[in-house]
Amino acid sequence: MHSLINLSSVSFSYTDSDVIKNISFSVKKGDFVGLIGPNGSGKSTLLRIILGILTPRKGVVSLFGKELKKFGEWEKIGYVPQKATNIEKNFPATVYEVVSMGLLSIQKFPKIITKREDSKIKEALTSVSMENFSQRRITELSSGQQQRVLIAKALVVSPEILILDEPTTGVDQENKESFYNLLGKLNNKGMTILLVSHDIGRITKYVNKVASINQKIEFYGTYKEFCLKDAAYKKEYKLYSDKG
Amino acid sequence: MIEILSYEFMQKAFISGIVIAIACSLLGVFLVLRKFSLIGDGIAHISFGGVATGLLFNITPFIGALLFGLIGSFGIIKLKEKSAVYSDTAIGIVSHVSLGIGIFILSIASGLNVDILSYLFGSILSIKTTELLLSLSLALLVIVFIIIYYKDLFYMSFDEESARVSGIKVNFLNSMLLILTAVTIVCSMNIVGLMLASSLIILPAASALQIKTSFKKTLIYSVLISVFSVIAGLIIAYNYDFAVSGTIVILNALFFLLILLHSKINNLSSNIK
């Protein structure tokens, strides 16, 4: 099975010392990978490198078999940022308008919404159970609902992989569970998922692989292996579980 | 109304005023949402240097302001890219250097002070046909650009990082926003003057954002408020012999206050329910 994401000996530094050290791992089709690590471990930095926002100092990042520099099929990637807590409280956009932004990567000029695209938007909203909110302003929704809308925005182009950065930050406990349920359902339907989270206690039901980093890779393998690998991991898992 | 339109200078003022109002109000929504609203003031300061230089060397001040505005915008972009200064610091450095040049020129050349006042505070009587045509063409270009890139700009304003990941050329569009602001400020110089040029960018957009509706409707409201303020401002200023720029800005401010008040009352009544 080919890798959708492949990192080979990737290092990155903002100043003099590396905050990402020699990290290698890959995400294969159908995987649900949990990228975990403590605060400041470089999870979000690594994600920004994968998305081409930051350029690594050393190493190679490949997406769908192509080196990042040559990769241009961004519609294959659905990105859900850690956004719900950051949406401007007066931002003037309806749920429908936000989801339609997702179509921009595939639209040619004139960027108007065709009937086909309109049904894609409605389909994406239905897949996250937000079809009845399409004309509501995004800022009127709860953070859990906003995060669902952002997933619909990512799903509207039918991506092959969904990349999420700490998506449940600011989301209440009840909505967190239903949010992870939604991700589990999407993965069961064949969606590959890379989820950055510190919420290891909650995501364990859904992920099939874990990449644990703390500037360098500490573990990469199945969740079962992660738990059994050694006492340190078990301890860490317990720590996370207790927090969750 | 018919009497007003019989004067050529008023016809010019209405035509250029309406087109510039549309350009400013469209651009304004994106600038206000991206917290760049005061860039207009910075560029107005930069253009002041261009007006003074134009008057000194007998070049059309409009061209001088436009050149300074464009060079200043590139200066801000490069200063941000090549040095460790923040955006607002880069704007401050470039705008004050240009303002300094303008004041220096005024101090060494005599007889320019009277001319420059019309560019600082606007003067519909001084609109020349060539300037009118140039400013109309440029304002139309700004409008066309915004219509073409409206969705990309919308996405960038919502979430710049996600827009970048979607393949939108964020750096190009950010630079274009700055250049278009420079062009728009210079175009609005004759109507409201450099001192108040950025008001046409900020106030209609700020008013429309208070209405709390969809993005598309916000853009439409911003344009309507801006165009109405310019038309009403010109008519009132003509009839009562007021300053055009001040009248337009006061009308815009009244719109903002009324919408703000309406929105607060609505919030209050929905809280009571």
Side-chain angles (χ1 to χ4, degrees), chain B residues 18 60 88 120 122 130 142 223 236 241 257:
Chain B
I18 290 168
T60 312
D88 55 348
L120 276 177
T130 46
V142 172
V223 169
I236 294 170
D241 201 19
L257 285 174

Side-chain angles (χ1 to χ4, degrees), chain A residues 103-104 107-115 117-118, chain B residues 150-151 216:
Chain A
L103 288 166
L104 276 174
Q107 281 179 317
K108 301 271 181 283
F109 183 77
K111 296 179 176 180
I112 45 168
I113 295 178
T114 59
K115 263 189 181 172
E117 287 169 343
D118 175 67
Chain B
Y150 135 73
K151 286 202 169 176
K216 200 183 267 180

